[in-house]
Amino acid sequence: MGLLLLLTCSLLSSCSVVHAQRKFTIRSVELFIEPHVNVTRGTNVTVRCRALVSSLDQEPLSREYVIYKDNKNVYTKTSITPEDLLYPLPHARVANTGNYRCGITIEGKRIKSEDKKLTVTGLSKPVLRLNNTEVTEGDEVTAKCEAPGETGSIFFSFYEGSKVITESGVNGNQLEAQLPLSSTGTHTLHCTYVVFIMQDLFKSEESDAVHVTVREFTSTPVLEIYPLSDVYEGDRLNLLCTIRNPLLDSKSGYLYLSQGMTMLTAGVSAVNYTVVAKSHVPAEFECRFEMGRIEKVTTKQIAVTELFSVPKLTISPAEVFQGDNITLTCRSEIYVPGRINNRDLIYSLSSFREGFTKMSPGVFSGRTLPYEFNYTCAAQARGVLKESQILTVLPKVSVSAPEISVLGLPVVGRTFQILCHSAVGSLPISYTLLKNGVPLKPFRVTLPWQKATFPVSISSPQEINSYRCQAKNRNEVEQHSNSLNATVIVPLTKPTLFTHPNLTQTYLYEGNELLLICEVTGSPPVTYQWYRGGRRLTSASNLSSVGYHFQRLSKEDGGSYHCEAGNEASVVRSEALTVEVYTAIWKQALIVGACVLLPAALVLGCVLYFKSKRGKREAAAELSVKPSGPKSDVSLTLTRSTEVSNAATGLDGAVVSVWTERPPDAGDDDVSNVVPPDPDVEYTEVVHPHSMDPARVPLRKGTDTVYSELKNAPHGAADHHDYGSLEYAGLNGEQPEVGHCSPEVNGYHDLPEPVD
């Protein structure tokens, strides 16, 4: 029972919690900057945050507002009213410039507005304050620069006129600094400041100028030198540096005594020093007093007369080679006779005295070293020591035997360069080219990168061995090279193109072998290029060491060929050679045979055809009349016989009809067997176009027609009459001449069909 009550209470509490959750939505959040996003300094600015919220409940919602500036939380407020949140910025300053955003949170829901930038322009005028407007030389002034009403990161600068004295940055609106004013007189000071806002900076105007007067420090140091005039090298100078001022009892200072840049001594109230006068050392002395920032300087300069000049070291001879004997001379050319004489000067070699012998005062003899060396000497008198300038001796190196060579490839008949060069030898070096021992051309090399080159030309390869080089870099000492030995290139002659076999003695047929040979003279190696009709031949299988090889010629291999030969000196071209490839003999025989046999076959066919036609016409023209018996055969045959005609008519050229009887023979049965069984009558018309003599033969109109009738008796008929042979000839109005045959008659043209 208790468990049931507990469960019921839990359900009731859950229902109450569900009903306690509120239904709302945040529609929008906007930020406004009033009165404007760009304002001037001192304007009252308000940042307004407006949130539109819709809710089902009448009870107010708890709203948490946050104002952000440059992504930093600058203001937070919780409210239950729907009114806008106001963030006031009274008397806005440049420091208020930035990007603003607002956000609202209600029961876990958070929405932010978009950014809006507020820009405030205008800075307050800086104020410069000094602790004192009148100071003594060397004192410092305490200055304070203020930026009234400004906040943020500010960078202050202090100026004297347009010159910056000091500057520094603080996170506040004022800066105090110590300003040193070293020179006397009136100084005008002012200050400025710059406010940094994120990536922007805003610079103020200048403050009012403040004048500061600096009084001069009246005391100055005193420098005394004895003697001041008629001073020579070696004289002693007494120096005294002091300062006199009654105010020194209350203030401390320090004295410094220097000669040029060299400090001699230092002290508090007075210092002295003794120095030997030297002409090469600056004779300018300085007495300096320093106290705090105060500096006072007094300088004096005296003239020191040179007792003797700086010695000069010379060498003879002027041009020396390694190992040569040399003489070094050290001399001071000027000295004061009233103070010293020539015997008072002592000379010595300051460096590398070994190997040199003193011949006389200032004269030393020795031998040059195999390398460069620096020599100096010194002259001394009355405590004064002077050294000469450094004399650098660079002994020259004798020239070695030159080497002779050629630049590039020497070609017969062309100009090329011969180079002469010695591996060892000091410049300048004089080179001379010799041919068969006779000097040709000189060349003087004065610079390290120069080369002695000589342009020459030769007419034969052997001529190149006649050249030699001569080199020298000192008098009467000459070095010679060996004879020039180099490979000479001979240009190629014009190629001669010939063939194997010789085209002038034979013909080339398809399938034959041909070798094109390109012959030239000149220096190897020689490269060959083959061309046909202007196009380069690249077939590797045809190329050989002696030419261009055709294993089996074809018709396509015919054409115009030429070759190009080249070596390192030239490229030459041959004349063109025409190669004509004829059709293979067996092909020619085949073609000839085809050409002969085809017409022969045609003629034979025609002959056979006409013979067959003639046989048919003869059979048609022959009229055979056979008796009823198997052994009788009657035939009517049309013939033309000159002799019969003459006998019958007694006229030349006349034709008559003659009936003849052909006796039967044993073959008649066979002949009768080949006659077709058709008993039809066959008619043949013969036309005679030839004209006859009208005086001898009467004219007839029309065309005479000869009819031959062949009638076959049926096989086995009882008619046994022997009719014999009948021959009939009909002529037209024109009779042919005797002895001439009509081709129409001889040809046995077909007779026309019979007319019913």
Side-chain angles (χ1 to χ4, degrees), residues 25 36 45 149 176 182 318 321 329 338 341 351 419 434 442 449 485 517 546 573 590 605 614 689 727:
T25 179
H36 199 269
V45 178
E176 185 176 293
S182 57
F321 286 81
T329 303
N341 54 45
S351 58
L419 172 65
L434 309 176
W449 57 84
N485 187 13
I517 302 174
V546 295
R573 177 175 176 173
L590 181 62
R614 179 179 180 183
E727 183 177 41

Side-chain angles (χ1 to χ4, degrees), residues 310-314 328-332 346-351 362 364 375-379 385-391:
V310 175
K312 183 178 181 181
L313 184 61
T314 59
L328 300 178
T329 303
C330 183
R331 282 285 184 269
S332 291
I346 301 175
Y347 298 100
S348 62
L349 283 177
S350 303
S351 58
F364 306 90
Y375 296 91
T376 58
C377 72
L385 179 65
K386 296 183 180 182
E387 290 190 348
S388 67
Q389 293 183 349
I390 296 176
L391 173 65

Side-chain angles (χ1 to χ4, degrees), residues 16-76:
S16 62
V17 170
V18 171
H19 290 296
Q21 291 181 352
R22 303 188 181 186
K23 305 296 184 182
F24 68 92
T25 179
I26 303 175
R27 294 183 176 274
S28 64
V29 178
E30 292 183 273
L31 183 135
F32 304 92
I33 297 178
E34 301 171 351
H36 199 269
V37 292
N38 297 314
V39 297
T40 58
R41 176 183 177 274
T43 304
N44 293 324
V45 178
T46 300
V47 179
R48 181 185 297 274
C49 183
R50 178 177 297 167
L52 298 180
V53 181
S54 298
S55 175
L56 293 176
D57 300 328
Q58 299 298 325
E59 296 183 8
L61 297 171
S62 177
R63 310 181 182 197
E64 181 181 355
Y65 291 93
V66 179
I67 302 296
Y68 299 91
K69 179 193 174 188
D70 298 329
N71 294 324
K72 292 183 180 179
N73 189 339
V74 295
Y75 182 71
T76 303

Side-chain angles (χ1 to χ4, degrees), residues 109-125:
K109 288 185 178 181
R110 178 179 299 173
I111 296 181
K112 293 182 181 181
S113 69
E114 294 183 355
D115 288 1
K116 287 192 177 180
K117 184 176 181 179
L118 171 64
T119 302
V120 181
T121 58
L123 295 173
S124 61
K125 187 175 183 178

Side-chain angles (χ1 to χ4, degrees), residues 301-369:
Q301 188 171 1
I302 63 173
V304 178
T305 303
E306 190 176 42
L307 190 62
F308 58 92
S309 62
V310 175
K312 183 178 181 181
L313 184 61
T314 59
I315 185 174
S316 62
E319 183 180 76
V320 294
F321 286 81
Q322 294 177 348
D324 287 355
N325 293 322
I326 59 172
T327 299
L328 300 178
T329 303
C330 183
R331 282 285 184 269
S332 291
E333 298 179 357
I334 301 175
Y335 61 93
V336 180
R339 293 277 183 157
I340 60 173
N341 54 45
N342 195 21
R343 294 188 300 271
D344 295 333
L345 290 172
I346 301 175
Y347 298 100
S348 62
L349 283 177
S350 303
S351 58
F352 197 76
R353 288 171 286 187
E354 297 181 0
F356 283 87
T357 303
K358 185 176 181 180
M359 308 302 295
S360 60
V363 179
F364 306 90
S365 178
R367 188 180 292 273
T368 58
L369 299 175

Side-chain angles (χ1 to χ4, degrees), residues 155-159 164-169 175 177 179 192:
F155 191 81
F156 291 92
S157 300
F158 294 89
Y159 294 85
V164 177
I165 301 176
T166 185
E167 52 188 4
S168 181
L175 176 67
L179 306 180
T192 62

Side-chain angles (χ1 to χ4, degrees), residues 57 134 156 182 191 214 265 480 597 673 689 707 711 724 739:
D57 300 328
E134 187 175 348
F156 291 92
S182 57
C191 70
V214 179
T265 185
H480 292 84
L597 292 178
N673 290 337
Y707 292 93
K711 185 175 181 180

Side-chain angles (χ1 to χ4, degrees), residues 223-483:
L223 177 60
E224 298 178 3
I225 301 176
Y226 180 79
L228 282 176
S229 61
D230 198 21
V231 177
Y232 289 88
E233 287 181 319
D235 292 348
R236 292 184 174 275
L237 301 176
N238 295 318
L239 310 177
L240 178 61
C241 177
T242 60
I243 186 168
R244 299 183 182 88
N245 192 333
L247 298 177
L248 290 180
D249 296 338
S250 58
K251 297 182 179 181
S252 60
Y254 218 78
L255 291 170
Y256 300 94
L257 180 61
S258 304
Q259 181 180 4
M261 298 299 297
T262 303
M263 182 178 292
L264 301 178
T265 185
V268 177
S269 58
V271 293
N272 55 39
Y273 194 79
T274 301
V275 65
V276 176
K278 297 179 181 179
S279 62
H280 63 279
V281 178
E284 181 177 340
F285 298 93
E286 176 187 271
C287 179
R288 175 184 292 267
F289 173 73
E290 294 181 1
M291 184 178 66
R293 296 183 177 273
I294 300 175
E295 291 183 357
K296 297 292 182 178
V297 178
T298 300
T299 60
K300 284 186 178 182
Q301 188 171 1
I302 63 173
V304 178
T305 303
E306 190 176 42
L307 190 62
F308 58 92
S309 62
V310 175
K312 183 178 181 181
L313 184 61
T314 59
I315 185 174
S316 62
E319 183 180 76
V320 294
F321 286 81
Q322 294 177 348
D324 287 355
N325 293 322
I326 59 172
T327 299
L328 300 178
T329 303
C330 183
R331 282 285 184 269
S332 291
E333 298 179 357
I334 301 175
Y335 61 93
V336 180
R339 293 277 183 157
I340 60 173
N341 54 45
N342 195 21
R343 294 188 300 271
D344 295 333
L345 290 172
I346 301 175
Y347 298 100
S348 62
L349 283 177
S350 303
S351 58
F352 197 76
R353 288 171 286 187
E354 297 181 0
F356 283 87
T357 303
K358 185 176 181 180
M359 308 302 295
S360 60
V363 179
F364 306 90
S365 178
R367 188 180 292 273
T368 58
L369 299 175
Y371 48 85
E372 178 182 337
F373 200 82
N374 296 328
Y375 296 91
T376 58
C377 72
Q380 183 177 5
R382 295 187 60 182
V384 178
L385 179 65
K386 296 183 180 182
E387 290 190 348
S388 67
Q389 293 183 349
I390 296 176
L391 173 65
T392 301
V393 176
L394 179 59
K396 291 187 175 183
V397 179
S398 298
V399 68
S400 61
E403 296 179 358
I404 185 170
S405 60
V406 294
L407 297 178
L409 291 175
V411 179
V412 172
R414 299 182 188 175
T415 301
F416 60 93
Q417 301 287 331
I418 293 180
L419 172 65
C420 293
H421 175 69
S422 294
V424 179
S426 299
L427 299 177
I429 302 175
S430 295
Y431 294 94
T432 303
L433 182 65
L434 309 176
K435 183 177 182 181
N436 295 323
V438 178
L440 295 181
K441 303 174 183 178
F443 193 100
R444 182 177 176 85
V445 175
T446 58
L447 300 174
W449 57 84
Q450 276 186 304
K451 295 183 180 296
T453 57
F454 304 91
V456 298
S457 176
I458 58 177
S459 57
S460 65
Q462 297 76 17
E463 188 178 346
I464 199 168
N465 302 122
S466 62
Y467 290 98
R468 298 177 63 194
C469 275
Q470 174 185 290
K472 66 177 181 177
N473 62 351
R474 61 190 304 177
N475 295 332
E476 300 179 358
V477 179
E478 299 175 349
Q479 299 287 345
H480 292 84
S481 71
N482 295 326
S483 297

